[in-house]
Amino acid sequence: MSLPHLHGQPCGRVVEVENAERAVELVREVLPFFRVGKPLMKPGGIDVPVLYLNFAVDRLHYDPERKIPLPKGCPGSSRPVRVEGIKEEVERILKEVQVLPAAEFREPENCWVVPVAWRSFVVLHVRVSADGKEIAPDYGLTEEIRRHGM
């Protein structure tokens, strides 16, 4: 007797450990080339786009009062703040982050997601193609920053 699946169907793709390892290594290789976009003031806080080759890879939530990134899932407060200096602070933060040695597979997007951490916070999720060979842009965020002329 087989047990029912609790959430959806099992992954229909053949995922290879080597592709996940390749994805992690790729993010390590390109991390020094990430750059910081213009901060986005959001109702829930400040998001700072992280770019690679003029495409957004993810948004970093930022706490301007403490001058630190916030973990994924914690967008911050909506208090009014000055954006001067935020870009420079996030550039400093990007020099301190590290790629975690693991990847998650997201079947709907057909990609790996590699977590990047600052201290004990996961602050970025970098998408990589299923074969582990290419960084996958965050197209929605890329479009958002282009709409705002950034």
Side-chain angles (χ1 to χ4, degrees):
M1 175 186 207
S2 66
L3 297 174
H5 295 287
L6 295 178
H7 298 285
Q9 298 298 315
C11 186
R13 302 190 183 281
V14 175
V15 292
E16 301 291 341
V17 171
E18 295 79 15
N19 290 347
E21 291 169 345
R22 188 178 302 125
V24 170
E25 187 55 35
L26 177 62
V27 176
R28 280 194 187 113
E29 289 173 13
V30 302
L31 186 63
F33 301 103
F34 284 2
R35 61 187 182 82
V36 178
K38 185 176 176 184
L40 302 169
M41 304 304 288
K42 310 295 276 179
I46 297 173
D47 286 343
V48 182
V50 175
L51 310 171
Y52 176 68
L53 300 177
N54 294 321
F55 285 94
V57 293
D58 200 7
R59 62 182 76 224
L60 183 138
H61 303 310
Y62 182 75
D63 181 342
E65 292 177 9
R66 297 186 299 161
K67 297 185 178 180
I68 64 169
L70 295 169
K72 283 300 204 181
C74 183
S77 72
S78 57
R79 287 173 271 174
V81 297
R82 295 176 40 178
V83 296
E84 291 81 24
I86 291 176
K87 189 172 178 179
E88 293 77 15
E89 283 296 319
V90 175
E91 287 170 353
R92 176 191 56 79
I93 289 164
L94 281 183
K95 292 176 183 169
E96 299 175 8
V97 298
Q98 61 185 2
V99 178
L100 298 182
E104 166 189 347
F105 191 77
R106 292 193 183 161
E107 188 171 22
E109 298 172 73
N110 191 33
C111 69
W112 295 103
V113 175
V114 178
V116 176
W118 176 85
R119 297 190 183 178
S120 60
F121 291 168
V122 171
V123 295
L124 296 172
H125 290 141
V126 181
R127 291 169 184 81
V128 178
S129 61
D131 62 6
K133 296 180 180 179
E134 295 179 336
I135 298 295
D138 181 329
Y139 292 108
L141 179 56
T142 299
E143 180 59 32
E144 181 179 346
I145 62 178
R146 288 181 179 166
R147 273 193 317 270
H148 291 96
M150 297 172 221

